[in-house]
PDB file of all heavy atoms in Angstrom:
ATOM      1  N   PRO A   1      29.887 115.886  96.288  1.00 82.00           N
ATOM      2  CA  PRO A   1      29.544 114.944  97.373  1.00 82.00           C
ATOM      3  C   PRO A   1      29.678 113.462  96.978  1.00 82.00           C
ATOM      4  O   PRO A   1      30.028 112.595  97.690  1.00 82.00           O
ATOM      5  CB  PRO A   1      28.152 115.283  97.807  1.00 82.00           C
ATOM      6  CG  PRO A   1      27.909 116.678  97.380  1.00 82.00           C
ATOM      7  CD  PRO A   1      28.720 116.870  96.136  1.00 82.00           C
ATOM      8  N   ILE A   2      29.339 113.134  95.698  1.00 75.00           N
ATOM      9  CA  ILE A   2      29.355 111.839  95.150  1.00 75.00           C
ATOM     10  C   ILE A   2      30.793 111.291  95.165  1.00 75.00           C
ATOM     11  O   ILE A   2      31.078 110.166  95.443  1.00 75.00           O
ATOM     12  CB  ILE A   2      28.726 111.745  93.748  1.00 75.00           C
ATOM     13  CG1 ILE A   2      27.258 112.229  93.813  1.00 75.00           C
ATOM     14  CG2 ILE A   2      28.742 110.373  93.203  1.00 75.00           C
ATOM     15  CD1 ILE A   2      26.577 112.439  92.489  1.00 75.00           C
ATOM     16  N   PHE A   3      31.727 112.120  94.607  1.00 79.00           N
ATOM     17  CA  PHE A   3      33.074 111.716  94.407  1.00 79.00           C
ATOM     18  C   PHE A   3      34.063 111.941  95.553  1.00 79.00           C
ATOM     19  O   PHE A   3      35.093 111.224  95.650  1.00 79.00           O
ATOM     20  CB  PHE A   3      33.663 112.366  93.135  1.00 79.00           C
ATOM     21  CG  PHE A   3      32.931 111.970  91.878  1.00 79.00           C
ATOM     22  CD1 PHE A   3      32.061 112.929  91.250  1.00 79.00           C
ATOM     23  CD2 PHE A   3      33.074 110.720  91.331  1.00 79.00           C
ATOM     24  CE1 PHE A   3      31.372 112.526  90.128  1.00 79.00           C
ATOM     25  CE2 PHE A   3      32.413 110.399  90.159  1.00 79.00           C
ATOM     26  CZ  PHE A   3      31.594 111.275  89.539  1.00 79.00           C
ATOM     27  N   LYS A   4      33.784 112.991  96.385  1.00 85.00           N
ATOM     28  CA  LYS A   4      34.735 113.402  97.398  1.00 85.00           C
ATOM     29  C   LYS A   4      35.261 112.342  98.312  1.00 85.00           C
ATOM     30  O   LYS A   4      36.454 112.199  98.442  1.00 85.00           O
ATOM     31  CB  LYS A   4      34.101 114.536  98.265  1.00 85.00           C
ATOM     32  CG  LYS A   4      35.022 115.037  99.322  1.00 85.00           C
ATOM     33  CD  LYS A   4      34.364 116.021 100.219  1.00 85.00           C
ATOM     34  CE  LYS A   4      35.275 116.410 101.410  1.00 85.00           C
ATOM     35  NZ  LYS A   4      34.656 117.341 102.360  1.00 85.00           N
ATOM     36  N   PRO A   5      34.402 111.484  98.923  1.00 87.00           N
ATOM     37  CA  PRO A   5      34.944 110.458  99.809  1.00 87.00           C
ATOM     38  C   PRO A   5      35.886 109.505  99.177  1.00 87.00           C
ATOM     39  O   PRO A   5      37.000 109.188  99.674  1.00 87.00           O
ATOM     40  CB  PRO A   5      33.711 109.681 100.306  1.00 87.00           C
ATOM     41  CG  PRO A   5      32.561 110.613 100.079  1.00 87.00           C
ATOM     42  CD  PRO A   5      32.931 111.437  98.871  1.00 87.00           C
ATOM     43  N   LEU A   6      35.587 109.092  97.903  1.00 86.00           N
ATOM     44  CA  LEU A   6      36.450 108.181  97.149  1.00 86.00           C
ATOM     45  C   LEU A   6      37.778 108.844  96.759  1.00 86.00           C
ATOM     46  O   LEU A   6      38.785 108.270  96.912  1.00 86.00           O
ATOM     47  CB  LEU A   6      35.692 107.561  95.956  1.00 86.00           C
ATOM     48  CG  LEU A   6      36.494 106.474  95.115  1.00 86.00           C
ATOM     49  CD1 LEU A   6      36.702 105.323  96.086  1.00 86.00           C
ATOM     50  CD2 LEU A   6      35.629 106.045  93.965  1.00 86.00           C
ATOM     51  N   VAL A   7      37.661 110.017  96.183  1.00 89.00           N
ATOM     52  CA  VAL A   7      38.867 110.791  95.755  1.00 89.00           C
ATOM     53  C   VAL A   7      39.786 111.025  97.006  1.00 89.00           C
ATOM     54  O   VAL A   7      41.000 110.807  96.865  1.00 89.00           O
ATOM     55  CB  VAL A   7      38.482 112.121  95.181  1.00 89.00           C
ATOM     56  CG1 VAL A   7      39.691 113.052  94.906  1.00 89.00           C
ATOM     57  CG2 VAL A   7      37.741 111.947  93.881  1.00 89.00           C
ATOM     58  N   GLN A   8      39.226 111.287  98.180  1.00 91.00           N
ATOM     59  CA  GLN A   8      39.999 111.567  99.386  1.00 91.00           C
ATOM     60  C   GLN A   8      40.769 110.313  99.788  1.00 91.00           C
ATOM     61  O   GLN A   8      41.910 110.320 100.062  1.00 91.00           O
ATOM     62  CB  GLN A   8      39.068 112.000 100.501  1.00 91.00           C
ATOM     63  CG  GLN A   8      39.754 112.558 101.671  1.00 91.00           C
ATOM     64  CD  GLN A   8      38.785 113.002 102.790  1.00 91.00           C
ATOM     65  OE1 GLN A   8      37.989 112.185 103.237  1.00 91.00           O
ATOM     66  NE2 GLN A   8      38.762 114.241 103.132  1.00 91.00           N
ATOM     67  N   LYS A   9      40.017 109.224  99.744  1.00 91.00           N
ATOM     68  CA  LYS A   9      40.675 107.901 100.178  1.00 91.00           C
ATOM     69  C   LYS A   9      41.722 107.435  99.225  1.00 91.00           C
ATOM     70  O   LYS A   9      42.808 106.929  99.645  1.00 91.00           O
ATOM     71  CB  LYS A   9      39.566 106.830 100.358  1.00 91.00           C
ATOM     72  CG  LYS A   9      38.722 106.984 101.555  1.00 91.00           C
ATOM     73  CD  LYS A   9      37.479 106.222 101.575  1.00 91.00           C
ATOM     74  CE  LYS A   9      36.507 106.511 102.745  1.00 91.00           C
ATOM     75  NZ  LYS A   9      35.270 105.776 102.659  1.00 91.00           N
ATOM     76  N   ILE A  10      41.433 107.541  97.935  1.00 90.00           N
ATOM     77  CA  ILE A  10      42.420 107.190  96.924  1.00 90.00           C
ATOM     78  C   ILE A  10      43.718 107.935  96.974  1.00 90.00           C
ATOM     79  O   ILE A  10      44.820 107.312  97.049  1.00 90.00           O
ATOM     80  CB  ILE A  10      41.820 107.283  95.461  1.00 90.00           C
ATOM     81  CG1 ILE A  10      40.731 106.262  95.252  1.00 90.00           C
ATOM     82  CG2 ILE A  10      42.900 107.095  94.372  1.00 90.00           C
ATOM     83  CD1 ILE A  10      39.866 106.555  93.968  1.00 90.00           C
ATOM     84  N   ASN A  11      43.636 109.190  97.057  1.00 91.00           N
ATOM     85  CA  ASN A  11      44.829 110.071  97.099  1.00 91.00           C
ATOM     86  C   ASN A  11      45.551 109.932  98.446  1.00 91.00           C
ATOM     87  O   ASN A  11      46.792 109.936  98.439  1.00 91.00           O
ATOM     88  CB  ASN A  11      44.426 111.561  96.885  1.00 91.00           C
ATOM     89  CG  ASN A  11      44.199 111.792  95.398  1.00 91.00           C
ATOM     90  OD1 ASN A  11      45.060 111.869  94.610  1.00 91.00           O
ATOM     91  ND2 ASN A  11      42.905 111.949  95.068  1.00 91.00           N
ATOM     92  N   THR A  12      44.740 109.816  99.519  1.00 93.00           N
ATOM     93  CA  THR A  12      45.435 109.628 100.873  1.00 93.00           C
ATOM     94  C   THR A  12      46.257 108.277 100.838  1.00 93.00           C
ATOM     95  O   THR A  12      47.379 108.244 101.285  1.00 93.00           O
ATOM     96  CB  THR A  12      44.441 109.568 101.976  1.00 93.00           C
ATOM     97  OG1 THR A  12      43.677 110.845 101.949  1.00 93.00           O
ATOM     98  CG2 THR A  12      45.101 109.400 103.348  1.00 93.00           C
ATOM     99  N   ALA A  13      45.628 107.213 100.305  1.00 92.00           N
ATOM    100  CA  ALA A  13      46.296 105.909 100.283  1.00 92.00           C
ATOM    101  C   ALA A  13      47.508 106.012  99.457  1.00 92.00           C
ATOM    102  O   ALA A  13      48.616 105.516  99.876  1.00 92.00           O
ATOM    103  CB  ALA A  13      45.324 104.899  99.677  1.00 92.00           C
ATOM    104  N   ARG A  14      47.510 106.671  98.281  1.00 90.00           N
ATOM    105  CA  ARG A  14      48.693 106.719  97.393  1.00 90.00           C
ATOM    106  C   ARG A  14      49.774 107.592  98.058  1.00 90.00           C
ATOM    107  O   ARG A  14      50.983 107.212  97.945  1.00 90.00           O
ATOM    108  CB  ARG A  14      48.283 107.322  96.060  1.00 90.00           C
ATOM    109  CG  ARG A  14      47.396 106.416  95.193  1.00 90.00           C
ATOM    110  CD  ARG A  14      47.237 106.919  93.815  1.00 90.00           C
ATOM    111  NE  ARG A  14      48.508 106.878  93.109  1.00 90.00           N
ATOM    112  CZ  ARG A  14      48.669 107.504  91.908  1.00 90.00           C
ATOM    113  NH1 ARG A  14      47.752 108.168  91.339  1.00 90.00           N
ATOM    114  NH2 ARG A  14      49.839 107.367  91.314  1.00 90.00           N
ATOM    115  N   ILE A  15      49.379 108.668  98.640  1.00 92.00           N
ATOM    116  CA  ILE A  15      50.367 109.566  99.243  1.00 92.00           C
ATOM    117  C   ILE A  15      51.090 108.874 100.469  1.00 92.00           C
ATOM    118  O   ILE A  15      52.324 108.920 100.574  1.00 92.00           O
ATOM    119  CB  ILE A  15      49.719 110.918  99.730  1.00 92.00           C
ATOM    120  CG1 ILE A  15      49.390 111.771  98.531  1.00 92.00           C
ATOM    121  CG2 ILE A  15      50.684 111.674 100.661  1.00 92.00           C
ATOM    122  CD1 ILE A  15      48.511 112.930  98.816  1.00 92.00           C
ATOM    123  N   MET A  16      50.318 108.194 101.339  1.00 93.00           N
ATOM    124  CA  MET A  16      50.891 107.526 102.462  1.00 93.00           C
ATOM    125  C   MET A  16      51.830 106.405 101.983  1.00 93.00           C
ATOM    126  O   MET A  16      52.859 106.195 102.607  1.00 93.00           O
ATOM    127  CB  MET A  16      49.744 106.967 103.383  1.00 93.00           C
ATOM    128  CG  MET A  16      48.803 107.959 103.969  1.00 93.00           C
ATOM    129  SD  MET A  16      49.675 109.228 104.985  1.00 93.00           S
ATOM    130  CE  MET A  16      49.439 110.704 104.055  1.00 93.00           C
ATOM    131  N   ARG A  17      51.417 105.673 100.963  1.00 92.00           N
ATOM    132  CA  ARG A  17      52.273 104.562 100.404  1.00 92.00           C
ATOM    133  C   ARG A  17      53.590 105.125  99.882  1.00 92.00           C
ATOM    134  O   ARG A  17      54.597 104.546 100.147  1.00 92.00           O
ATOM    135  CB  ARG A  17      51.454 103.812  99.341  1.00 92.00           C
ATOM    136  CG  ARG A  17      52.220 102.779  98.599  1.00 92.00           C
ATOM    137  CD  ARG A  17      52.523 101.534  99.363  1.00 92.00           C
ATOM    138  NE  ARG A  17      51.323 100.892  99.940  1.00 92.00           N
ATOM    139  CZ  ARG A  17      51.357  99.857 100.797  1.00 92.00           C
ATOM    140  NH1 ARG A  17      52.474  99.454 101.253  1.00 92.00           N
ATOM    141  NH2 ARG A  17      50.238  99.372 101.323  1.00 92.00           N
ATOM    142  N   THR A  18      53.445 106.167  99.073  1.00 90.00           N
ATOM    143  CA  THR A  18      54.638 106.795  98.497  1.00 90.00           C
ATOM    144  C   THR A  18      55.584 107.354  99.560  1.00 90.00           C
ATOM    145  O   THR A  18      56.812 107.084  99.519  1.00 90.00           O
ATOM    146  CB  THR A  18      54.259 107.901  97.487  1.00 90.00           C
ATOM    147  OG1 THR A  18      53.325 107.368  96.490  1.00 90.00           O
ATOM    148  CG2 THR A  18      55.483 108.443  96.725  1.00 90.00           C
ATOM    149  N   LEU A  19      55.047 108.161 100.461  1.00 92.00           N
ATOM    150  CA  LEU A  19      55.878 108.740 101.564  1.00 92.00           C
ATOM    151  C   LEU A  19      56.522 107.646 102.392  1.00 92.00           C
ATOM    152  O   LEU A  19      57.730 107.688 102.683  1.00 92.00           O
ATOM    153  CB  LEU A  19      54.959 109.612 102.458  1.00 92.00           C
ATOM    154  CG  LEU A  19      54.703 111.061 101.995  1.00 92.00           C
ATOM    155  CD1 LEU A  19      53.725 111.766 102.948  1.00 92.00           C
ATOM    156  CD2 LEU A  19      56.078 111.860 101.918  1.00 92.00           C
ATOM    157  N   GLY A  20      55.710 106.639 102.757  1.00 91.00           N
ATOM    158  CA  GLY A  20      56.275 105.581 103.617  1.00 91.00           C
ATOM    159  C   GLY A  20      57.336 104.822 102.885  1.00 91.00           C
ATOM    160  O   GLY A  20      58.425 104.457 103.552  1.00 91.00           O
ATOM    161  N   SER A  21      57.163 104.494 101.629  1.00 89.00           N
ATOM    162  CA  SER A  21      58.221 103.784 100.819  1.00 89.00           C
ATOM    163  C   SER A  21      59.476 104.546 100.728  1.00 89.00           C
ATOM    164  O   SER A  21      60.557 104.008 100.837  1.00 89.00           O
ATOM    165  CB  SER A  21      57.642 103.510  99.417  1.00 89.00           C
ATOM    166  OG  SER A  21      56.474 102.667  99.557  1.00 89.00           O
ATOM    167  N   LEU A  22      59.381 105.828 100.472  1.00 89.00           N
ATOM    168  CA  LEU A  22      60.586 106.727 100.370  1.00 89.00           C
ATOM    169  C   LEU A  22      61.269 106.833 101.675  1.00 89.00           C
ATOM    170  O   LEU A  22      62.570 106.761 101.704  1.00 89.00           O
ATOM    171  CB  LEU A  22      60.136 108.112  99.907  1.00 89.00           C
ATOM    172  CG  LEU A  22      59.717 108.223  98.383  1.00 89.00           C
ATOM    173  CD1 LEU A  22      58.999 109.485  98.065  1.00 89.00           C
ATOM    174  CD2 LEU A  22      60.965 108.082  97.483  1.00 89.00           C
ATOM    175  N   LEU A  23      60.559 107.036 102.776  1.00 91.00           N
ATOM    176  CA  LEU A  23      61.255 107.126 104.094  1.00 91.00           C
ATOM    177  C   LEU A  23      61.904 105.808 104.389  1.00 91.00           C
ATOM    178  O   LEU A  23      63.020 105.747 105.022  1.00 91.00           O
ATOM    179  CB  LEU A  23      60.176 107.485 105.153  1.00 91.00           C
ATOM    180  CG  LEU A  23      59.616 108.908 105.083  1.00 91.00           C
ATOM    181  CD1 LEU A  23      58.603 109.156 106.136  1.00 91.00           C
ATOM    182  CD2 LEU A  23      60.700 109.971 105.215  1.00 91.00           C
ATOM    183  N   LEU A  24      61.210 104.711 104.070  1.00 87.00           N
ATOM    184  CA  LEU A  24      61.800 103.358 104.391  1.00 87.00           C
ATOM    185  C   LEU A  24      63.052 103.163 103.603  1.00 87.00           C
ATOM    186  O   LEU A  24      63.962 102.424 104.048  1.00 87.00           O
ATOM    187  CB  LEU A  24      60.729 102.313 104.024  1.00 87.00           C
ATOM    188  CG  LEU A  24      60.919 100.918 104.667  1.00 87.00           C
ATOM    189  CD1 LEU A  24      60.752 100.913 106.140  1.00 87.00           C
ATOM    190  CD2 LEU A  24      59.893  99.918 104.099  1.00 87.00           C
ATOM    191  N   GLY A  25      63.092 103.759 102.396  1.00 84.00           N
ATOM    192  CA  GLY A  25      64.251 103.636 101.529  1.00 84.00           C
ATOM    193  C   GLY A  25      65.451 104.550 101.889  1.00 84.00           C
ATOM    194  O   GLY A  25      66.497 104.436 101.275  1.00 84.00           O
ATOM    195  N   GLY A  26      65.175 105.406 102.886  1.00 85.00           N
ATOM    196  CA  GLY A  26      66.255 106.329 103.290  1.00 85.00           C
ATOM    197  C   GLY A  26      66.222 107.744 102.793  1.00 85.00           C
ATOM    198  O   GLY A  26      67.102 108.514 103.007  1.00 85.00           O
ATOM    199  N   VAL A  27      65.099 108.118 102.189  1.00 87.00           N
ATOM    200  CA  VAL A  27      64.960 109.495 101.637  1.00 87.00           C
ATOM    201  C   VAL A  27      64.541 110.361 102.813  1.00 87.00           C
ATOM    202  O   VAL A  27      63.736 109.984 103.653  1.00 87.00           O
ATOM    203  CB  VAL A  27      63.950 109.565 100.513  1.00 87.00           C
ATOM    204  CG1 VAL A  27      63.779 110.949  99.972  1.00 87.00           C
ATOM    205  CG2 VAL A  27      64.350 108.602  99.366  1.00 87.00           C
ATOM    206  N   SER A  28      65.027 111.646 102.878  1.00 90.00           N
ATOM    207  CA  SER A  28      64.640 112.564 103.922  1.00 90.00           C
ATOM    208  C   SER A  28      63.160 112.921 103.770  1.00 90.00           C
ATOM    209  O   SER A  28      62.573 112.811 102.713  1.00 90.00           O
ATOM    210  CB  SER A  28      65.510 113.826 103.879  1.00 90.00           C
ATOM    211  OG  SER A  28      65.201 114.586 102.716  1.00 90.00           O
ATOM    212  N   LEU A  29      62.548 113.383 104.905  1.00 92.00           N
ATOM    213  CA  LEU A  29      61.152 113.723 104.839  1.00 92.00           C
ATOM    214  C   LEU A  29      60.746 114.811 103.832  1.00 92.00           C
ATOM    215  O   LEU A  29      59.813 114.738 103.115  1.00 92.00           O
ATOM    216  CB  LEU A  29      60.692 114.146 106.276  1.00 92.00           C
ATOM    217  CG  LEU A  29      59.164 114.448 106.449  1.00 92.00           C
ATOM    218  CD1 LEU A  29      58.259 113.292 105.986  1.00 92.00           C
ATOM    219  CD2 LEU A  29      58.882 114.793 107.876  1.00 92.00           C
ATOM    220  N   THR A  30      61.538 115.932 103.850  1.00 93.00           N
ATOM    221  CA  THR A  30      61.247 117.021 102.935  1.00 93.00           C
ATOM    222  C   THR A  30      61.356 116.524 101.446  1.00 93.00           C
ATOM    223  O   THR A  30      60.567 116.957 100.698  1.00 93.00           O
ATOM    224  CB  THR A  30      62.200 118.216 103.216  1.00 93.00           C
ATOM    225  OG1 THR A  30      63.561 117.802 103.207  1.00 93.00           O
ATOM    226  CG2 THR A  30      61.895 118.926 104.546  1.00 93.00           C
ATOM    227  N   GLU A  31      62.444 115.826 101.225  1.00 91.00           N
ATOM    228  CA  GLU A  31      62.596 115.304  99.853  1.00 91.00           C
ATOM    229  C   GLU A  31      61.503 114.350  99.455  1.00 91.00           C
ATOM    230  O   GLU A  31      61.028 114.351  98.339  1.00 91.00           O
ATOM    231  CB  GLU A  31      63.987 114.642  99.748  1.00 91.00           C
ATOM    232  CG  GLU A  31      64.407 114.333  98.296  1.00 91.00           C
ATOM    233  CD  GLU A  31      64.634 115.542  97.499  1.00 91.00           C
ATOM    234  OE1 GLU A  31      64.944 116.653  98.005  1.00 91.00           O
ATOM    235  OE2 GLU A  31      64.486 115.464  96.235  1.00 91.00           O
ATOM    236  N   ALA A  32      61.092 113.541 100.431  1.00 91.00           N
ATOM    237  CA  ALA A  32      59.989 112.537 100.145  1.00 91.00           C
ATOM    238  C   ALA A  32      58.693 113.252  99.848  1.00 91.00           C
ATOM    239  O   ALA A  32      57.964 112.841  98.961  1.00 91.00           O
ATOM    240  CB  ALA A  32      59.808 111.645 101.367  1.00 91.00           C
ATOM    241  N   LEU A  33      58.444 114.327 100.520  1.00 93.00           N
ATOM    242  CA  LEU A  33      57.189 115.149 100.278  1.00 93.00           C
ATOM    243  C   LEU A  33      57.268 115.793  98.907  1.00 93.00           C
ATOM    244  O   LEU A  33      56.251 115.759  98.197  1.00 93.00           O
ATOM    245  CB  LEU A  33      57.105 116.294 101.331  1.00 93.00           C
ATOM    246  CG  LEU A  33      56.645 115.821 102.730  1.00 93.00           C
ATOM    247  CD1 LEU A  33      56.933 116.875 103.797  1.00 93.00           C
ATOM    248  CD2 LEU A  33      55.161 115.469 102.787  1.00 93.00           C
ATOM    249  N   LYS A  34      58.441 116.294  98.494  1.00 92.00           N
ATOM    250  CA  LYS A  34      58.590 116.908  97.135  1.00 92.00           C
ATOM    251  C   LYS A  34      58.381 115.845  96.059  1.00 92.00           C
ATOM    252  O   LYS A  34      57.701 116.120  95.022  1.00 92.00           O
ATOM    253  CB  LYS A  34      59.898 117.581  97.040  1.00 92.00           C
ATOM    254  CG  LYS A  34      60.029 118.778  97.854  1.00 92.00           C
ATOM    255  CD  LYS A  34      61.464 119.402  97.835  1.00 92.00           C
ATOM    256  CE  LYS A  34      61.647 120.571  98.746  1.00 92.00           C
ATOM    257  NZ  LYS A  34      63.039 121.068  98.789  1.00 92.00           N
ATOM    258  N   ILE A  35      58.990 114.667  96.276  1.00 90.00           N
ATOM    259  CA  ILE A  35      58.888 113.608  95.284  1.00 90.00           C
ATOM    260  C   ILE A  35      57.405 113.148  95.127  1.00 90.00           C
ATOM    261  O   ILE A  35      56.898 112.929  94.047  1.00 90.00           O
ATOM    262  CB  ILE A  35      59.791 112.414  95.672  1.00 90.00           C
ATOM    263  CG1 ILE A  35      61.294 112.876  95.513  1.00 90.00           C
ATOM    264  CG2 ILE A  35      59.532 111.177  94.738  1.00 90.00           C
ATOM    265  CD1 ILE A  35      62.232 111.842  96.199  1.00 90.00           C
ATOM    266  N   SER A  36      56.793 113.007  96.332  1.00 90.00           N
ATOM    267  CA  SER A  36      55.368 112.553  96.341  1.00 90.00           C
ATOM    268  C   SER A  36      54.505 113.515  95.580  1.00 90.00           C
ATOM    269  O   SER A  36      53.525 113.091  94.886  1.00 90.00           O
ATOM    270  CB  SER A  36      54.886 112.344  97.786  1.00 90.00           C
ATOM    271  OG  SER A  36      55.628 111.369  98.478  1.00 90.00           O
TER     272      SER A  36
END
């Protein structure tokens, strides 16, 4: 319980940033998910 909220927010932020950057760069969604 102490770490869960922070771990959830950190990983969600990083995944959304990586996925968004890859899609913006022209990578397909499935490939972006695998790279992330």
Side-chain angles (χ1 to χ4, degrees):
I2 301 171
F3 296 107
K4 181 186 171 182
L6 187 59
V7 171
Q8 192 181 60
K9 287 168 185 174
I10 290 167
N11 284 285
T12 301
R14 290 190 68 191
I15 289 167
M16 296 303 111
R17 174 71 57 188
T18 306
L19 277 175
S21 299
L22 287 164
L23 292 177
L24 200 64
V27 179
S28 68
L29 181 56
T30 51
E31 192 62 27
L33 286 163
K34 291 174 184 176
I35 294 166
S36 299

